[in-house]
Coordinates of all heavy atoms in Angstrom, one line a residue:
M1 N 63.2 66.4 0.9 CA 64.3 65.5 0.7 C 65.7 66.0 1.3 O 66.4 65.2 1.9 CB 64.4 65.1 -0.8 CG 65.4 64.0 -1.2 SD 64.9 62.5 -0.5 CE 66.1 61.4 -1.2
F2 N 66.0 67.2 0.9 CA 67.2 67.8 1.4 C 67.2 67.9 3.0 O 68.3 67.7 3.5 CB 67.3 69.3 0.8 CG 68.6 69.9 1.1 CD1 69.8 69.3 0.6 CD2 68.8 71.0 2.0 CE1 71.1 69.9 0.9 CE2 69.9 71.6 2.3 CZ 71.2 71.0 1.8
D3 N 66.1 68.1 3.7 CA 66.0 68.1 5.1 C 66.4 66.8 5.7 O 67.1 66.7 6.7 CB 64.7 68.6 5.5 CG 64.3 70.1 5.2 OD1 65.3 70.8 4.9 OD2 63.1 70.4 5.1
V4 N 65.8 65.8 5.1 CA 66.1 64.4 5.5 C 67.6 64.1 5.4 O 68.2 63.5 6.3 CB 65.3 63.3 4.8 CG1 65.7 62.0 5.2 CG2 63.8 63.6 5.0
L5 N 68.3 64.5 4.3 CA 69.7 64.2 4.1 C 70.5 65.0 5.1 O 71.4 64.4 5.7 CB 70.1 64.7 2.7 CG 71.6 64.5 2.4 CD1 72.0 63.0 2.5 CD2 71.9 65.1 1.0
L6 N 70.1 66.2 5.5 CA 70.8 67.0 6.5 C 70.7 66.4 7.8 O 71.6 66.3 8.7 CB 70.4 68.4 6.5 CG 70.9 69.4 5.4 CD1 70.2 70.7 5.6 CD2 72.3 69.5 5.5
N7 N 69.5 65.8 8.2 CA 69.3 65.2 9.4 C 70.1 64.0 9.6 O 70.7 63.7 10.6 CB 67.8 64.8 9.6 CG 66.9 66.1 9.9 OD1 67.5 67.1 10.3 ND2 65.6 65.9 9.7
V8 N 70.2 63.1 8.5 CA 71.0 61.9 8.5 C 72.4 62.3 8.7 O 73.2 61.6 9.5 CB 70.7 61.0 7.3 CG1 71.7 59.9 7.2 CG2 69.3 60.6 7.3
L9 N 72.9 63.3 7.9 CA 74.3 63.7 8.0 C 74.6 64.2 9.5 O 75.7 64.0 10.0 CB 74.6 64.8 7.0 CG 74.8 64.2 5.6 CD1 75.0 65.4 4.7 CD2 75.9 63.3 5.5
G10 N 73.7 64.9 10.1 CA 73.8 65.4 11.4 C 74.0 64.3 12.5 O 74.8 64.4 13.3
V11 N 73.1 63.3 12.3 CA 73.2 62.2 13.2 C 74.5 61.4 13.0 O 75.2 61.0 14.0 CB 72.0 61.3 13.1 CG1 72.2 59.9 13.7 CG2 70.7 61.9 13.5
V12 N 75.0 61.2 11.8 CA 76.2 60.5 11.5 C 77.4 61.3 12.1 O 78.3 60.7 12.7 CB 76.4 60.2 10.0 CG1 77.8 59.7 9.7 CG2 75.3 59.2 9.5
F13 N 77.4 62.6 11.9 CA 78.5 63.4 12.4 C 78.5 63.3 14.0 O 79.6 63.2 14.5 CB 78.2 64.9 12.0 CG 79.3 65.8 12.5 CD1 80.6 65.8 12.1 CD2 79.0 66.6 13.7 CE1 81.6 66.6 12.6 CE2 79.9 67.4 14.2 CZ 81.2 67.5 13.7
L14 N 77.3 63.4 14.6 CA 77.3 63.3 16.1 C 77.8 62.0 16.5 O 78.6 61.9 17.5 CB 75.9 63.5 16.5 CG 75.7 63.4 18.1 CD1 76.4 64.6 18.8 CD2 74.2 63.5 18.4
W15 N 77.4 60.9 15.8 CA 77.9 59.6 16.2 C 79.4 59.4 16.1 O 80.1 59.0 17.0 CB 77.2 58.5 15.4 CG 77.6 57.1 15.8 CD1 77.2 56.4 16.8 CD2 78.5 56.3 15.0 NE1 77.8 55.1 16.8 CE2 78.6 55.1 15.7 CE3 79.2 56.4 13.8 CZ2 79.4 54.0 15.2 CZ3 79.9 55.3 13.4 CH2 80.1 54.2 14.1
L16 N 79.9 60.0 15.0 CA 81.4 59.9 14.7 C 82.2 60.8 15.8 O 83.2 60.4 16.2 CB 81.7 60.4 13.3 CG 81.3 59.4 12.2 CD1 81.5 60.1 10.8 CD2 82.1 58.1 12.4
A17 N 81.6 61.9 16.1 CA 82.2 62.8 17.1 C 82.3 62.1 18.5 O 83.3 62.2 19.2 CB 81.5 64.1 17.2
V18 N 81.2 61.4 18.9 CA 81.2 60.8 20.2 C 82.2 59.6 20.1 O 82.9 59.3 21.1 CB 79.7 60.3 20.5 CG1 79.8 59.3 21.7 CG2 78.8 61.5 20.8
E19 N 82.2 58.8 19.1 CA 83.1 57.7 18.9 C 84.6 58.2 19.0 O 85.4 57.6 19.6 CB 82.9 57.0 17.6 CG 81.7 56.1 17.6 CD 81.8 54.9 18.5 OE1 82.9 54.3 18.5 OE2 80.8 54.5 19.1
Y20 N 84.9 59.3 18.4 CA 86.2 59.9 18.3 C 86.6 60.3 19.7 O 87.8 60.0 20.2 CB 86.3 61.1 17.4 CG 87.7 61.8 17.4 CD1 88.7 61.1 16.7 CD2 87.9 62.9 18.1 CE1 89.9 61.7 16.7 CE2 89.2 63.5 18.0 CZ 90.2 62.9 17.4 OH 91.4 63.4 17.3
C21 N 85.7 60.9 20.5 CA 86.0 61.4 21.9 C 86.2 60.2 22.8 O 86.9 60.4 23.8 CB 84.9 62.3 22.4 SG 84.8 63.9 21.5
L22 N 85.5 59.1 22.6 CA 85.6 58.0 23.6 C 86.5 56.9 23.0 O 86.5 55.8 23.6 CB 84.2 57.4 23.8 CG 83.2 58.3 24.5 CD1 81.8 57.8 24.6 CD2 83.7 58.8 25.8
R23 N 87.3 57.1 22.1 CA 88.1 56.1 21.5 C 89.1 55.4 22.4 O 89.4 54.3 22.2 CB 88.8 56.6 20.2 CG 89.9 57.6 20.5 CD 90.5 58.2 19.3 NE 91.6 59.1 19.5 CZ 91.4 60.4 19.9 NH1 90.2 60.9 20.1 NH2 92.5 61.2 20.2
H24 N 89.6 56.1 23.4 CA 90.6 55.5 24.3 C 90.0 55.1 25.6 O 90.8 54.6 26.4 CB 91.8 56.5 24.6 CG 92.6 56.8 23.3 ND1 93.3 55.9 22.7 CD2 92.7 58.0 22.7 CE1 93.9 56.5 21.6 NE2 93.6 57.7 21.6
E25 N 88.7 55.2 25.7 CA 88.1 54.8 27.0 C 87.8 53.2 27.0 O 87.5 52.7 26.0 CB 86.7 55.5 27.2 CG 86.9 57.1 27.3 CD 87.7 57.5 28.4 OE1 87.7 56.9 29.5 OE2 88.4 58.5 28.3
T26 N 88.0 52.7 28.2 CA 87.7 51.3 28.4 C 86.4 51.2 29.2 O 86.0 52.2 29.8 CB 88.9 50.6 29.2 OG1 88.9 51.2 30.4 CG2 90.2 50.7 28.4
A27 N 85.9 50.0 29.2 CA 84.7 49.8 30.0 C 85.0 50.1 31.6 O 84.1 50.6 32.3 CB 84.2 48.3 29.9
E28 N 86.2 49.7 32.0 CA 86.5 50.0 33.4 C 86.6 51.5 33.7 O 86.1 51.9 34.7 CB 87.8 49.3 33.7 CG 88.2 49.4 35.1 CD 89.6 48.6 35.4 OE1 89.6 47.4 35.1 OE2 90.6 49.3 35.9
S29 N 87.2 52.2 32.8 CA 87.3 53.7 33.1 C 86.0 54.3 33.0 O 85.7 55.3 33.8 CB 88.3 54.3 32.1 OG 87.8 54.4 30.8
L30 N 85.1 53.9 32.1 CA 83.7 54.5 32.1 C 82.9 54.1 33.3 O 82.2 54.9 33.9 CB 83.0 54.1 30.8 CG 83.6 54.6 29.5 CD1 82.9 53.9 28.3 CD2 83.5 56.1 29.5
D31 N 83.1 52.9 33.8 CA 82.5 52.5 35.0 C 83.0 53.3 36.2 O 82.1 53.6 37.0 CB 82.7 51.0 35.2 CG 81.7 50.3 36.2 OD1 80.5 50.8 36.2 OD2 82.2 49.5 37.0
E32 N 84.3 53.5 36.3 CA 84.8 54.3 37.4 C 84.3 55.7 37.3 O 84.0 56.4 38.4 CB 86.3 54.3 37.3 CG 87.0 55.1 38.5 CD 88.5 54.9 38.4 OE1 89.0 53.9 37.9 OE2 89.1 55.9 38.9
A33 N 84.1 56.3 36.1 CA 83.7 57.6 35.9 C 82.2 57.7 36.4 O 81.9 58.8 36.9 CB 83.8 58.1 34.5
S34 N 81.4 56.7 36.2 CA 80.1 56.8 36.6 C 79.9 56.8 38.1 O 78.9 57.2 38.6 CB 79.3 55.6 36.0 OG 79.7 54.4 36.6
L35 N 80.9 56.3 38.8 CA 80.9 56.3 40.3 C 81.4 57.6 40.9 O 81.3 57.8 42.2 CB 81.5 55.1 40.8 CG 81.0 53.7 40.4 CD1 81.8 52.6 40.8 CD2 79.5 53.5 41.0
T36 N 82.0 58.4 40.1 CA 82.7 59.6 40.7 C 81.8 60.6 41.4 O 82.2 61.1 42.4 CB 83.4 60.4 39.5 OG1 84.3 59.5 38.9 CG2 84.1 61.6 40.0
P37 N 80.5 60.8 41.0 CA 79.7 61.7 41.8 C 79.5 61.3 43.2 O 79.1 62.2 44.1 CB 78.3 61.7 41.0 CG 78.7 61.3 39.7 CD 79.8 60.3 39.8
F38 N 79.7 60.0 43.6 CA 79.5 59.5 44.9 C 80.8 59.6 45.8 O 80.7 59.2 47.0 CB 78.9 58.1 44.9 CG 77.7 58.0 44.0 CD1 77.8 57.3 42.8 CD2 76.5 58.6 44.3 CE1 76.7 57.2 42.0 CE2 75.4 58.5 43.4 CZ 75.5 57.8 42.3
A39 N 81.8 60.0 45.2 CA 83.1 59.9 45.9 C 83.3 60.9 47.0 O 84.2 60.6 47.9 CB 84.2 60.0 44.8
D40 N 82.7 62.0 47.0 CA 82.9 63.0 48.0 C 82.1 62.9 49.3 O 82.3 63.6 50.2 CB 82.7 64.4 47.4 CG 81.3 64.7 47.0 OD1 80.6 63.7 46.9 OD2 81.0 65.8 46.8
D41 N 81.2 61.9 49.3 CA 80.4 61.6 50.5 C 80.6 60.2 50.9 O 80.0 59.3 50.3 CB 78.9 61.9 50.2 CG 78.1 61.9 51.4 OD1 78.5 61.3 52.5 OD2 76.9 62.4 51.3
P42 N 81.4 59.9 52.0 CA 81.8 58.6 52.3 C 80.5 57.7 52.7 O 80.5 56.5 52.3 CB 82.6 58.7 53.6 CG 83.1 60.1 53.4 CD 82.1 60.9 52.8
E43 N 79.4 58.3 53.2 CA 78.2 57.6 53.6 C 77.5 57.0 52.3 O 77.1 55.9 52.2 CB 77.3 58.4 54.5 CG 75.9 57.7 54.8 CD 76.1 56.4 55.5 OE1 77.1 56.1 56.2 OE2 75.2 55.5 55.3
V44 N 77.4 58.0 51.4 CA 76.8 57.6 50.1 C 77.6 56.6 49.3 O 77.1 55.7 48.7 CB 76.4 58.9 49.2 CG1 75.9 58.6 47.9 CG2 75.5 59.8 50.1
A45 N 78.9 56.8 49.4 CA 79.8 55.9 48.7 C 79.6 54.5 49.3 O 79.6 53.5 48.4 CB 81.2 56.3 48.9
R46 N 79.5 54.4 50.6 CA 79.3 53.1 51.1 C 78.0 52.4 50.7 O 78.0 51.2 50.4 CB 79.4 53.3 52.7 CG 79.3 51.9 53.4 CD 79.3 52.0 54.9 NE 78.1 52.8 55.4 CZ 76.9 52.2 55.4 NH1 76.6 51.1 55.1 NH2 75.9 53.0 55.9
R47 N 76.9 53.2 50.6 CA 75.6 52.7 50.2 C 75.7 52.3 48.8 O 75.1 51.3 48.4 CB 74.5 53.7 50.5 CG 74.2 53.9 51.9 CD 72.9 54.7 52.2 NE 72.7 55.7 51.2 CZ 72.5 57.0 51.5 NH1 72.8 57.4 52.7 NH2 72.2 57.9 50.6
V48 N 76.4 53.0 47.9 CA 76.5 52.6 46.5 C 77.3 51.4 46.3 O 77.0 50.6 45.5 CB 77.1 53.8 45.7 CG1 77.5 53.4 44.3 CG2 76.2 55.0 45.6
E49 N 78.3 51.2 47.2 CA 79.2 49.9 47.1 C 78.3 48.8 47.6 O 78.4 47.7 46.9 CB 80.3 50.1 48.1 CG 81.5 51.0 47.5 CD 82.6 51.1 48.5 OE1 82.5 50.7 49.6 OE2 83.6 51.7 48.0
M50 N 77.4 48.9 48.5 CA 76.6 47.9 49.0 C 75.5 47.5 47.9 O 75.2 46.4 47.7 CB 75.9 48.2 50.3 CG 76.9 48.3 51.5 SD 76.1 48.7 53.1 CE 74.7 47.7 53.2
A51 N 75.0 48.6 47.3 CA 73.9 48.3 46.3 C 74.5 47.7 45.0 O 73.8 46.9 44.4 CB 73.2 49.6 46.0
T52 N 75.7 48.2 44.6 CA 76.2 47.8 43.3 C 77.2 46.7 43.4 O 77.5 46.0 42.3 CB 76.8 49.0 42.5 OG1 77.9 49.5 43.2 CG2 75.7 50.0 42.3
G53 N 78.0 46.6 44.5 CA 79.1 45.6 44.6 C 80.3 46.2 44.0 O 81.4 45.5 43.9
K54 N 80.3 47.4 43.5 CA 81.5 48.1 42.9 C 82.1 49.0 43.9 O 81.5 49.6 44.8 CB 81.1 48.9 41.7 CG 80.4 48.1 40.6 CD 79.9 48.9 39.5 CE 79.2 48.1 38.5 NZ 78.7 48.9 37.4
T55 N 83.5 49.1 43.9 CA 84.3 49.9 44.8 C 84.3 51.3 44.3 O 84.5 51.6 43.2 CB 85.7 49.4 44.9 OG1 85.7 48.1 45.2 CG2 86.5 50.2 45.9
V56 N 83.9 52.2 45.2 CA 83.9 53.7 44.9 C 85.2 54.3 45.6 O 85.4 54.1 46.8 CB 82.6 54.4 45.6 CG1 82.7 55.9 45.3 CG2 81.4 53.8 45.0
K57 N 86.0 54.9 44.8 CA 87.2 55.6 45.4 C 86.9 56.8 45.9 O 86.9 57.9 45.4 CB 88.2 55.7 44.3 CG 88.7 54.4 43.7 CD 89.7 54.6 42.6 CE 90.2 53.2 42.0 NZ 91.1 53.4 40.8
A58 N 86.5 56.7 47.3 CA 86.0 57.9 48.0 C 87.2 58.7 48.5 O 88.2 58.3 48.7 CB 85.2 57.5 49.3
V59 N 86.9 60.1 48.5 CA 87.9 61.0 49.0 C 87.5 61.6 50.3 O 86.2 61.7 50.5 CB 88.2 62.1 48.0 CG1 88.8 61.5 46.7 CG2 86.9 62.8 47.6
A60 N 88.3 62.0 51.2 CA 87.9 62.6 52.5 C 87.5 64.0 52.2 O 88.0 64.8 51.3 CB 89.2 62.6 53.4
P61 N 86.4 64.4 52.9 CA 85.9 65.8 52.8 C 87.0 66.8 53.2 O 87.8 66.5 54.1 CB 84.7 65.9 53.7 CG 84.7 64.6 54.5 CD 85.6 63.7 53.9
E62 N 87.0 67.9 52.6 CA 87.9 69.0 53.0 C 87.7 69.4 54.5 O 86.6 69.5 54.9 CB 87.9 70.1 52.1 CG 88.4 69.9 50.7 CD 88.3 71.1 49.9 OE1 88.4 72.2 50.4 OE2 88.3 71.0 48.6
T63 N 88.8 69.7 55.2 CA 88.7 70.1 56.6 C 89.0 71.6 56.5 O 89.6 72.2 55.6 CB 89.7 69.5 57.4 OG1 91.0 69.7 56.9 CG2 89.5 67.9 57.5
A64 N 88.4 72.3 57.5 CA 88.5 73.8 57.6 C 90.0 74.1 57.9 O 90.6 73.5 58.8 CB 87.6 74.4 58.6
K65 N 90.6 75.1 57.3 CA 91.9 75.5 57.5 C 91.9 76.5 58.7 O 91.0 77.3 58.9 CB 92.6 76.0 56.3 CG 92.7 75.0 55.2 CD 93.4 75.5 54.0 CE 93.6 74.4 53.0 NZ 93.4 74.7 51.7
T66 N 93.0 76.5 59.4 CA 93.1 77.4 60.6 C 93.1 78.8 60.1 O 93.7 79.3 59.1 CB 94.5 77.2 61.3 OG1 94.5 75.8 61.6 CG2 94.5 78.0 62.6
G67 N 92.2 79.6 60.7 CA 92.1 81.1 60.4 C 91.1 81.3 59.3 O 90.8 82.5 59.0
W68 N 90.5 80.4 58.7 CA 89.5 80.5 57.6 C 88.2 80.5 58.3 O 87.9 79.8 59.3 CB 89.7 79.4 56.6 CG 90.8 79.6 55.7 CD1 92.1 79.9 56.1 CD2 90.9 79.3 54.4 NE1 93.0 79.9 55.0 CE2 92.3 79.5 53.9 CE3 90.0 78.9 53.4 CZ2 92.7 79.4 52.7 CZ3 90.5 78.8 52.1 CH2 91.8 79.0 51.7
I69 N 87.2 81.2 57.7 CA 85.9 81.3 58.2 C 85.0 80.4 57.4 O 85.2 80.2 56.2 CB 85.3 82.7 58.4 CG1 85.2 83.4 57.1 CG2 86.1 83.5 59.4 CD1 84.5 84.7 57.1
N70 N 83.9 79.9 57.9 CA 82.9 79.2 57.2 C 81.8 80.1 56.6 O 81.1 80.8 57.3 CB 82.2 78.2 58.2 CG 81.3 77.2 57.4 OD1 81.2 77.2 56.2 ND2 80.6 76.4 58.2
L71 N 81.8 80.1 55.3 CA 80.9 81.0 54.6 C 79.5 80.4 54.4 O 78.5 81.0 54.0 CB 81.4 81.5 53.3 CG 82.6 82.3 53.3 CD1 83.1 82.6 52.0 CD2 82.4 83.6 54.1
E72 N 79.4 79.0 54.7 CA 78.2 78.4 54.6 C 77.3 78.4 55.8 O 77.7 77.9 56.8 CB 78.4 76.9 54.2 CG 79.1 76.6 52.9 CD 79.4 75.2 52.7 OE1 79.0 74.3 53.5 OE2 80.1 74.9 51.7
M73 N 76.3 79.2 55.8 CA 75.5 79.5 57.0 C 74.0 79.1 56.7 O 73.5 79.3 55.7 CB 75.6 80.8 57.5 CG 77.0 81.1 58.0 SD 77.0 82.8 58.7 CE 78.7 82.9 59.0

C-alpha cells in the first residue's frame, strides 16, 4: 500500500514539475521548438516545410574562417 502511494506521489510530482517548467510556453513557441533540429540544414528545412506546411527558420551553415583548418576528414 505504501509503495502505491509513493508511486502516485511521484507521478503527481513529475506532472506538477513539467507543468511548472512549461507554464509560459505557448503552442506557437512549442511548435517552433519542434522544428529547430531542421534549421541548420537548408535542404532538410525545405523538405520539412513542404511536408508540414510550417515555416522553418533556417540558419546559414558556418563558413570556414581564413587561416583555420578543417578538422573533419
Side-chain angles (χ1 to χ4, degrees):
M1 182 67 172
F2 185 67
D3 292 340
V4 173
L5 179 62
L6 282 178
N7 287 339
V8 170
L9 286 175
V11 169
V12 169
F13 175 76
L14 179 64
W15 182 75
L16 290 173
V18 170
E19 285 291 321
Y20 179 76
C21 290
L22 297 176
R23 69 187 181 279
H24 294 298
E25 298 299 326
T26 63
E28 185 177 302
S29 68
L30 292 174
D31 195 38
E32 185 178 328
S34 70
L35 297 173
T36 301
F38 310 108
D40 62 345
D41 189 345
E43 176 61 28
V44 174
R46 186 182 59 77
R47 289 195 322 246
V48 169
E49 285 178 352
M50 287 176 50
T52 62
K54 299 175 183 176
T55 303
V56 178
K57 295 180 181 174
V59 295
E62 291 185 23
T63 57
K65 296 182 176 145
T66 308
W68 289 41
I69 60 171
N70 185 4
L71 297 177
E72 297 176 9
M73 294 184 187

